[in-house]
Amino acid sequence: MKEALWLCSLLSEIFGTLADATVMFSDNQSTIALARDHQYHACTKHIDVCYHWIRWVIEQGSVQLIYCPTDDMVANTLTKALPSTKVKHFTAGLGLHAK
């Protein structure tokens, strides 16, 4: 998320203020719920305080977290070792496949 905010800051300096929030897709529903929930939970006490700024950034409206199932996560082809069929499916989704 830090990198996304930095890129948005860079683009806003080059092209002017960006109107929309940066959309980040996540396949972890617990992470999304934790980022939106303001209550203290005993099972989350191990999370370092420096990571609570994510909740603040979402409250500001700079970033929007959206759930995307793992099977639809196109970026997985760039970050994980996948079977050939999934690689072909995701590269087609990125527009990178050869015809």
Side-chain angles (χ1 to χ4, degrees):
M1 191 169 290
K2 285 182 184 181
E3 289 84 4
L5 292 173
W6 182 85
L7 284 172
C8 288
S9 174
L10 176 67
L11 290 174
S12 67
E13 287 184 23
I14 296 172
F15 298 110
T17 305
L18 302 175
D20 296 332
T22 302
V23 177
M24 298 194 75
F25 295 98
S26 176
D27 60 353
N28 189 331
Q29 293 181 5
S30 297
T31 301
I32 295 171
L34 192 64
R36 292 182 181 158
D37 190 12
H38 302 290
Q39 297 178 355
Y40 170 78
H41 297 283
C43 59
T44 61
K45 66 182 178 183
H46 68 281
I47 297 174
D48 196 3
V49 174
C50 67
Y51 295 110
H52 290 284
W53 69 270
I54 292 172
R55 188 177 303 143
W56 178 74
V57 169
I58 291 172
E59 286 176 359
Q60 275 190 321
S62 301
V63 174
Q64 181 182 9
L65 281 177
I66 296 177
Y67 173 71
C68 181
T70 303
D71 292 336
D72 298 337
M73 190 72 69
V74 178
N76 283 347
T77 192
L78 302 172
T79 60
K80 297 179 181 175
L82 299 171
S84 175
T85 55
K86 284 198 173 200
V87 171
K88 289 177 184 176
H89 172 72
F90 288 147
T91 53
L94 289 170
L96 298 175
H97 67 292
K99 293 184 179 182

